[in-house]
Amino acid sequence: MAISAELGDTLEQVVTDLVENGRYNSKSEVLREGVRLVQEREARFRELDAKIQAGLDDIEAGRVTPAEEVFAELRELIEQIARKAS
């Protein structure tokens, strides 16, 4: 399926330069790579959204740890690492 897209002068020059410099074999190859990168980014956004929702669900269900407790554990861990390093 053929697609026609207006990239504007700046992006058109980027695509042209990539092909002329041998980085890609054709303009279509450059654009396919761009679409693949967008797909990957969108997949990462979906994963992030799912993790955020899971966190919000945990909060709503009361599955949380008080900050003071977390910070105390972190301080202890840092102190242990510092003792081992010295």
Side-chain angles (χ1 to χ4, degrees), residues 6-24:
E6 178 59 43
L7 301 178
D9 293 340
T10 302
L11 292 178
E12 179 67 33
Q13 188 59 52
V14 170
V15 171
T16 299
D17 289 346
L18 288 167
V19 174
E20 287 177 356
N21 292 325
R23 179 72 175 89
Y24 292 88

Side-chain angles (χ1 to χ4, degrees), residues 15 19 24-32:
V15 171
V19 174
Y24 292 88
N25 294 318
S26 69
K27 290 180 178 183
S28 293
E29 191 176 306
V30 175
L31 297 176
R32 281 192 298 272

